Amino acid sequence: MSSQSTTPLEYQGQQNQMTILGFWIFLGAEIVLFSTLFASYFVLEHNTAGGPTGEELFMLKEVLIETFLLLTSSFTCGLAIHEMRNGNKRDTIVWLIVTLLLGLGFVYMEISEFIHYVHEGATIQTSGFLSGFFTLLGTHGLHVSLGIGWVTLLIIQMMKRGITPVTARKVFVASLYWHFLDVVWIFIFTFVYLKGMM
Amino acid sequence: MTWDQFFVTGDPLILASQIAIALTMVGLVVLVTYLKRWKWLWKEWFTTVDHKKIGIMYILAGVVMFFRGGVDGLMMKAQTSRPELEFLDAQHYDEVFTTHGVIMILFMAMPMLIGIMNVVIPLQIGARDVAFPKLNALSFWVFFVGAMLFNISFVIGGSPDAGWTAYFPLAGKEFTPGVGNNYYAIALQIAGIGTLATGVNFIVTILKMRAPGMTLMKMPMFTWTALVTNVIIVAAFPILTVALAFMTLDRLFGTHFFTVAAGGDPMLWLNLFWLWGHPEVYIVVLPAFGMFSEVISTFSRKNLYGYKSMVASIVGIAFLSMLVWVHHFYTMGNSGAVNSVFSITTMAIAIPTGVKIFNWLFTMRKGRIKFTNAMLWSLAFIPCFTIGGVTGVMLAMAAADYQYHNTMFLVAHFHYVLIPGVVFAVFAGLYYWWPKMFGFKLNEKIGYWHFWLFVIGFNVTFMPMFFVGLDGMSRRMFTYSASTGWGPLLGLSAIGALILAAGFAALCYNIYWSFRYASRDVGNDPWDARTLEWATASPPPHYNFAKVPEVSQLDEFWENKKAGITGLKKNEIEEIHMPSNSWTPLFMAVAFGIVGFFLVFEWFIPAAISAVLIVIGLILNSFDYDHGYHVSVEEVEETERKWRGDLK
């Protein structure tokens, strides 16, 4: 790294430090948001109202593929940050694009999973359980989709401007968001799918 | 949907309002055009990122909303002033108490407090702005758009009518099929985005932008309360976000979160609502405590008694505020054990609150008290708020609550908490910081009228409600028969409301009078105060401080005055970096408003199309690399010389 300081580029300057701290606090709010969604899902979990249950519905194979796609994307996102800290613009962008492709794969799989459920007669209007299920997963999926749009914008900026304290901070903050969504997915996988199939 | 469903028709009161709104809008446009002020409005206010101006806009919006919520309150008082009056029908009465509650809490109390925080906090910690000035502008504009969206409901489409708590199943599509409760869900959601952003913004501002040397335990008390308040905002508002999203999905897309049929659970709404709603009480009351602390300390000419215990009790209140939500529905089927736990946590809140009351009293003890308007409000607050607190402990006892639940006793209780706790504080804060905001004081004599009318009116309005409540009158009754015997007390209460309204009118007159005639020669420190905001000019230059102050102790400014350390040396002035104005916050907020409006009416295609505007706003924002501008040394010198005289 060319800078003589040992501080990573994204932490240089007070505004950058404040933005990163602010984003951590925002993630705190996101944790509350998802906790509320999870808690509400647990309340409604058994209220199937004669509709399908999770056990009848969930498709383990597809969900496992989704999990691998998203977890891998978190890893490649980490690689992108690693390359960014090495000052390697091209590789940073390449890993970001790989991350996005994996994210797109996840969103595609999740949408087809939802379409499949709807064909099975399990819609968001069927029961309290399915309202909670689709809203929790839909919120997560929407976050991933927004993240894809966001990172796309950042890739364009990094291509134009290179790795500067500002672009580095932006990409770093987006990576925090991406990892956070990964953590949420681990909870969804465990407490929605695995618990639902047991 | 036909036009007469779109515009609310058939009620002369509402027709008059529609005409009045249309005339006011046209009048404002004509006035601004006549005065040729559009450019000024755009440059100085609509696109501003200056925390002081944003704060003033918040306060202005809060005053307007106070008027709206107050008119709702007066209508309720008029309707119940005598038995079996037919001024409002049941439906209209339902709408009025719903909008009164929502507006007073979310669109009056919140913006007033956030507005004063905006003006004062950066000055008090010696900063040049908040951490994210543009986000701050966005916070204000989405709040404002949310508030306006909520406010037009009564003329376009119909008001929400399920109470400010919007309990399900009543607030569900089955029982309230109109668009009213859509307004509730969507307008609050939009305003809530702004509040959450404010929370993040102020936490970072206070943690990261304090003047050198100002450690956490050397922060002014108002800054402490603001910090803790914003932590509660970040912890509690996402719960409201989710609850409102569920409500929107239930009403617009037929899901079953809160329905009775198909596996929904109406109690889920109650729990989520109060998980946010109770902390919300402390979100509005804690900054108020901070303001009283500043005012009482300044006008007792003493430092705040028990600073550390004050901080500890604020943090304690914040923690407990998250653990008491069930006390709002003791009667709704919890087990005895659950009720006992929440009864104890609720009563526990009285302990830190009591600590604070005693600290204020001890601050005044042996002080040389100056009876300014700001101090009067603080003095009136203590006994009035204590009545609210004591009746709160009565309500906290689950077994006894079976008697009080949903009666006028409860209504009287929370008005005794929120009016002294929030409204008195806002008035104290306005009189105290007015010269800092505008460079002139509010008139103290008119202020006495404001004070006495308001405080007497408040007690006459709400004290009788305790007694009709104990006598069995439930809340939200639009009428009652003469045989209940409530008529005289409620009549007295209605007279009190008129006195209260006269008090508010006195405030408005005071603002008008002082704006025109008050002396502009107030100096930077008209009250001989203690904290850093008084160390710079009134009103402060846009960069706040020519030189960022250094702090080594609590009440640094006061101690420096005593030690005779003041002034600014010429060679200390450096170039100052400031953020540029931006129109994207306003653009984004308007986009949210348009999408929200279409969603209220369930016009999904226009909503989806206008959602593109939000995306455009986000993209514009992401590509915005404006790094602000620099204020030159000469300009700073020039500005400072104007109020300091020649620099050495």
Side-chain angles (χ1 to χ4, degrees):
Chain A
M1 177 167 169
S2 57
S3 170
Q4 284 160 355
S5 157
T6 49
T7 320
L9 209 51
E10 65 270 18
Y11 279 99
Q12 285 175 13
Q14 203 202 1
Q15 193 62 49
N16 270 0
Q17 289 173 17
M18 290 198 299
T19 307
I20 292 170
L21 175 66
F23 198 78
W24 275 108
I25 296 168
F26 170 73
L27 286 184
E30 287 272 63
I31 290 174
V32 179
L33 183 117
F34 276 103
S35 308
T36 312
L37 286 167
F38 272 107
S40 307
Y41 172 76
F42 295 146
V43 168
L44 300 170
E45 196 178 9
H46 301 291
N47 300 359
T48 50
T53 64
E55 206 179 348
E56 292 161 10
L57 214 56
F58 295 153
M59 312 184 294
L60 192 57
K61 198 180 111 207
E62 280 77 1
V63 175
L64 262 178
I65 297 172
E66 284 168 35
T67 308
F68 280 120
L69 284 173
L70 204 62
L71 292 193
T72 314
S73 83
S74 210
F75 178 64
T76 57
C77 183
L79 289 178
I81 298 300
H82 179 71
E83 291 300 339
M84 188 178 82
R85 288 198 171 153
N86 286 337
N88 199 335
K89 178 179 149 187
R90 198 185 63 97
D91 288 4
T92 309
I93 291 171
V94 168
W95 284 119
L96 285 178
I97 291 172
V98 173
T99 307
L100 287 193
L101 291 176
L102 290 165
L104 276 173
F106 168 83
V107 172
Y108 172 78
M109 293 281 299
E110 186 166 54
I111 290 173
S112 26
E113 186 196 333
F114 282 5
I115 291 172
H116 176 78
Y117 293 156
V118 171
H119 282 304
E120 301 263 298
T123 72
I124 196 167
Q125 296 162 333
T126 308
S127 65
F129 154 65
L130 285 166
S131 296
F133 170 82
F134 279 112
T135 307
L136 170 59
L137 271 80
T139 308
H140 176 266
L142 195 66
H143 272 74
V144 176
S145 310
L146 277 175
I148 292 170
W150 181 14
V151 173
T152 312
L153 298 178
L154 296 188
I155 290 173
I156 298 169
Q157 289 169 42
M158 191 163 260
M159 291 206 290
K160 260 171 60 184
R161 294 165 185 272
I163 302 174
T164 68
V166 175
T167 55
R169 182 257 296 160
K170 287 187 171 193
V171 172
F172 180 73
V173 163
S175 81
L176 291 179
Y177 179 82
W178 198 265
H179 292 311
F180 168 75
L181 294 179
D182 212 48
V183 174
V184 173
W185 181 259
I186 292 170
F187 280 88
I188 290 177
F189 182 70
T190 316
F191 292 107
V192 176
Y193 286 111
L194 289 187
K195 185 167 167 266
M197 308 240 249
M198 273 191 313
Chain B
M1 176 175 273
T2 57
W3 280 108
D4 67 324
Q5 282 172 310
F6 186 73
F7 288 110
V8 178
T9 52
D11 185 319
L13 285 171
I14 289 176
L15 182 65
S17 310
Q18 282 163 333
I19 294 167
I21 290 170
L23 288 178
T24 312
M25 301 272 272
V26 173
L28 280 176
V29 171
V30 169
L31 188 72
V32 175
T33 314
Y34 176 73
L35 295 172
K36 299 199 175 113
R37 286 291 192 154
W38 282 111
K39 207 173 159 194
W40 170 81
L41 214 57
W42 179 258
K43 268 185 68 178
E44 297 290 321
W45 297 95
F46 288 174
T47 62
T48 188
V49 295
D50 182 338
H51 69 96
K52 301 175 285 296
K53 287 182 176 166
I54 290 171
I56 289 169
M57 290 194 288
Y58 264 118
I59 294 168
L60 194 62
V63 172
V64 174
M65 288 295 100
F66 200 165
F67 175 76
R68 162 76 208 269
V71 170
D72 284 343
L74 284 175
M75 286 164 74
M76 282 146 73
K77 281 288 142 199
Q79 166 62 23
T80 56
S81 61
R82 285 175 46 218
E84 288 173 40
L85 271 188
E86 284 174 13
F87 171 57
L88 302 176
D89 58 23
Q91 172 63 25
H92 199 170
Y93 191 80
D94 287 356
E95 294 175 6
V96 168
F97 71 63
T98 302
T99 51
H100 170 76
V102 174
I103 287 173
M104 284 304 201
I105 295 274
L106 287 155
F107 301 136
M108 188 282 283
M110 291 289 280
M112 288 279 206
L113 294 164
I114 292 178
I116 295 177
M117 264 191 235
N118 256 291
V119 174
V120 175
I121 294 298
L123 290 166
Q124 214 167 42
I125 62 173
R128 295 227 158 92
D129 208 318
V130 293
F132 312 113
K134 212 162 122 182
L135 184 68
N136 201 24
L138 180 71
S139 285
F140 170 73
W141 287 113
V142 288
F143 145 74
F144 185 73
V145 163
M148 289 304 110
L149 186 62
F150 187 84
N151 269 275
I152 58 163
S153 64
F154 85 109
V155 286
I156 298 176
S159 280
D161 52 2
W164 88 278
T165 49
Y167 278 4
F168 280 79
L170 178 61
K173 198 91 177 174
E174 194 183 347
F175 297 102
T176 44
V179 297
N181 285 296
N182 294 355
Y183 269 115
Y184 177 98
I186 290 159
L188 264 58
Q189 188 73 283
I190 293 173
I193 300 169
T195 311
L196 184 62
T198 298
V200 173
N201 209 339
F202 274 82
I203 295 175
V204 178
T205 305
I206 296 173
L207 288 182
K208 285 284 195 181
M209 294 179 78
R210 296 193 310 279
M214 186 187 276
T215 56
L216 285 176
M217 292 308 277
K218 288 175 189 154
M219 291 197 307
M221 192 48 60
F222 182 48
T223 306
W224 253 114
T225 55
L227 174 65
V228 174
T229 300
N230 284 296
V231 171
I232 311 179
I233 286 178
V234 171
F237 262 79
I239 306 174
L240 179 70
T241 306
V242 172
L244 292 172
F246 287 170
M247 180 175 181
T248 311
L249 289 170
D250 264 14
R251 292 188 57 89
L252 268 56
F253 301 99
T255 55
H256 294 287
F257 287 103
F258 307 131
T259 55
V260 180
D265 188 345
M267 283 308 287
L268 182 61
W269 166 263
L270 263 77
N271 279 282
L272 293 179
F273 182 84
W274 286 114
L275 261 166
W276 160 79
H278 200 86
E280 165 69 15
V281 175
Y282 293 91
I283 291 170
V284 293
V285 98
L286 282 182
F289 287 173
M291 291 188 223
F292 286 131
S293 301
E294 302 291 344
V295 168
I296 289 175
S297 166
T298 299
F299 294 112
S300 304
R301 340 266 329 127
K302 281 178 68 198
N303 58 348
L304 190 66
Y305 183 90
Y307 178 91
K308 283 180 189 163
S309 64
M310 276 295 205
V311 173
S313 54
I314 297 164
V315 176
I317 290 174
F319 178 72
L320 286 171
S321 76
M322 296 283 173
L323 301 172
V324 298
W325 77 95
V326 173
H327 72 212
H328 295 273
F329 43 91
Y330 282 140
T331 58
M332 300 190 194
N334 315 304
S335 70
V338 169
N339 275 357
S340 305
V341 168
F342 282 92
S343 202
I344 290 165
T345 53
T346 305
M347 282 189 254
I349 288 194
I351 298 167
T353 316
V355 169
K356 299 177 79 65
I357 297 273
F358 282 107
N359 279 339
W360 289 316
L361 293 176
F362 281 124
T363 306
M364 285 186 268
R365 184 171 174 267
K366 291 192 174 175
R368 276 175 291 139
I369 296 176
K370 280 190 179 174
F371 291 95
T372 59
N373 269 299
M375 188 63 180
L376 284 179
W377 288 109
S378 313
L379 290 173
F381 151 76
I382 291 177
C384 294
F385 185 78
T386 305
I387 296 173
V390 170
T391 49
V393 177
M394 291 168 72
L395 285 156
M397 295 179 279
D401 185 62
Y402 275 76
Q403 193 63 33
Y404 311 132
H405 184 82
N406 264 359
T407 63
M408 291 302 258
F409 185 84
L410 166 84
V411 178
H413 152 72
F414 68 69
H415 282 87
Y416 260 90
V417 173
L418 287 170
I419 293 179
V422 181
V423 181
F424 286 14
V426 166
F427 290 152
L430 285 181
Y431 279 93
Y432 183 58
W433 280 299
W434 196 271
K436 186 49 62 185
M437 288 190 267
F438 298 105
F440 61 90
K441 285 184 188 177
L442 286 174
N443 183 283
E444 290 278 312
K445 263 200 191 131
I446 307 173
Y448 289 142
W449 280 98
H450 171 209
F451 172 77
W452 286 109
L453 286 169
F454 202 92
V455 172
I456 293 170
F458 157 70
N459 280 290
V460 175
T461 308
F462 295 103
M463 188 58 80
M465 286 161 74
F466 280 122
F467 296 101
V468 288
L470 289 177
D471 206 17
M473 181 179 183
S474 62
R475 71 194 295 199
R476 294 169 176 169
M477 283 174 68
F478 89 105
T479 194
Y480 55 93
S481 74
S483 61
T484 56
W486 300 329
L489 279 173
L490 289 171
L492 181 65
S493 175
I495 292 167
L498 286 175
I499 304 173
L500 200 62
F504 180 73
L507 170 69
C508 295
Y509 178 68
N510 198 354
I511 293 174
Y512 164 79
W513 190 93
S514 308
F515 181 72
R516 293 206 56 178
Y517 306 113
S519 158
R520 261 46 180 183
D521 185 23
V522 292
N524 62 315
D525 182 22
W527 310 115
D528 196 11
R530 318 179 70 84
T531 41
L532 283 179
E533 71 269 31
W534 304 100
T536 188
S538 309
H542 61 113
Y543 51 79
N544 291 357
F545 296 94
K547 173 178 169 274
V548 171
E550 278 172 40
V551 175
S552 60
Q553 57 203 325
L554 190 65
D555 293 343
E556 174 84 14
F557 177 61
W558 171 260
E559 303 294 340
N560 282 352
K561 274 194 292 189
K562 279 207 300 194
I565 309 167
T566 46
L568 171 80
K569 294 194 189 74
K570 205 171 173 182
N571 58 4
E572 288 178 323
I573 297 175
E574 288 171 13
E575 234 182 24
I576 295 172
H577 175 248
M578 295 300 292
S580 314
N581 282 3
S582 171
W583 53 272
T584 42
L586 179 60
F587 173 82
M588 289 280 284
V590 171
F592 271 111
I594 295 170
V595 175
F597 184 80
F598 287 137
L599 279 181
V600 165
F601 287 91
E602 301 174 31
W603 297 335
F604 295 117
I605 292 164
I609 294 168
S610 41
V612 174
L613 291 173
I614 299 178
V615 177
I616 291 173
L618 287 168
I619 294 174
L620 285 172
N621 203 46
S622 182
F623 281 93
D624 180 11
Y625 273 77
D626 189 311
H627 292 303
Y629 65 99
H630 287 88
V631 188
S632 68
V633 175
E634 292 74 41
E635 195 190 326
V636 177
E637 266 181 32
E638 174 70 33
T639 318
E640 294 297 312
R641 201 171 281 129
K642 265 187 204 149
W643 69 278
R644 287 176 192 269
D646 275 338
L647 303 171
K648 284 180 188 136

